[in-house]
């Protein structure tokens, strides 16, 4: 096996989507951790900080914006790509203020997402 290209944390409440993303990114050489909730993601980033977080905007309990705010408060500086089937202009503004530069709508093209991940991890 070759060199790991980076550590990615996938945070989404949909199991099938987590599996699709983690399998696809592992095939591209990334080390991938998955979380099904914001709380689980917060615990994981403290254990092993990722290079990039792929974060679902709409999750029960704690949405993506709240999860990201708490991560930033805890000093997590990883780049973030937001996944969303729908989001408000206010959520987009909040995410940008928290350092998010990439938003990907659901459903998405996995090849496009892999390209964005590569750009974000390298950049």
């Amino acid at each position: 096996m070759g060199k790991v290209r980076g550590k990615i944390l996938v945070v989404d409440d949909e199991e099938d989507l987590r599996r699709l993303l983690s399998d696809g990114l592992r095939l591209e050489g990334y080390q991938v951790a998955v979380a099904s909730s914001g709380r689980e993601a917060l615990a994981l980033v403290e254990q092993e900080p990722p290079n990039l977080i792929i974060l679902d905007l709409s999750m029960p309990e704690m949405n993506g914006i709240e999860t990201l705010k708490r991560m930033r408060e805890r000093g997590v500086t990883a780049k973030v790509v937001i996944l969303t089937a729908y989001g408000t202009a206010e959520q987009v503004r909040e995410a940008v203020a928290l350092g998010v530069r990439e938003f990907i709508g659901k459903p998405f093209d996995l090849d496009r997402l892999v390209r964005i991940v590569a750009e974000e991890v390298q950049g």
Side-chain angles (χ1 to χ4, degrees), residues 5-123:
R5 295 177 64 183
K7 296 175 187 170
I8 311 294
L9 174 60
V10 175
V11 186
D12 198 296
D13 59 318
E14 296 176 45
E15 184 179 351
D16 290 343
L17 186 61
R18 287 193 312 271
R19 187 177 306 115
L20 171 73
L21 289 172
S22 63
D23 289 350
L25 291 167
R26 283 186 181 111
L27 286 172
E28 293 294 321
Y30 296 98
Q31 180 181 329
V32 182
V34 295
S36 61
S37 68
R39 290 190 197 294
E40 189 178 352
L42 289 170
L44 287 173
V45 296
E46 288 183 1
Q47 292 172 14
E48 191 166 350
N51 301 101
L52 178 75
I53 301 165
I54 299 173
L55 181 60
D56 184 22
L57 192 60
S58 299
M59 295 184 292
E61 255 183 72
M62 185 187 318
N63 70 29
I65 296 297
E66 184 61 31
T67 300
L68 183 54
K69 282 181 185 175
R70 291 185 186 192
M71 286 179 179
R72 295 300 193 227
E73 288 168 1
R74 295 175 184 194
V76 175
T77 59
K79 293 180 180 180
V80 177
V81 172
I82 294 283
L83 288 179
T84 184
Y86 52 90
T88 66
E90 180 60 29
Q91 288 173 317
V92 169
R93 279 192 296 276
E94 285 184 88
V96 168
L98 292 166
V100 175
R101 295 188 328 209
E102 291 289 343
F103 296 82
I104 298 177
K106 291 181 183 177
F108 58 88
D109 173 13
L110 184 58
D111 290 335
R112 178 174 176 261
L113 178 64
V114 167
R115 281 192 307 275
I116 289 170
V117 166
E119 291 168 6
E120 290 294 305
V121 169
Q122 290 171 359

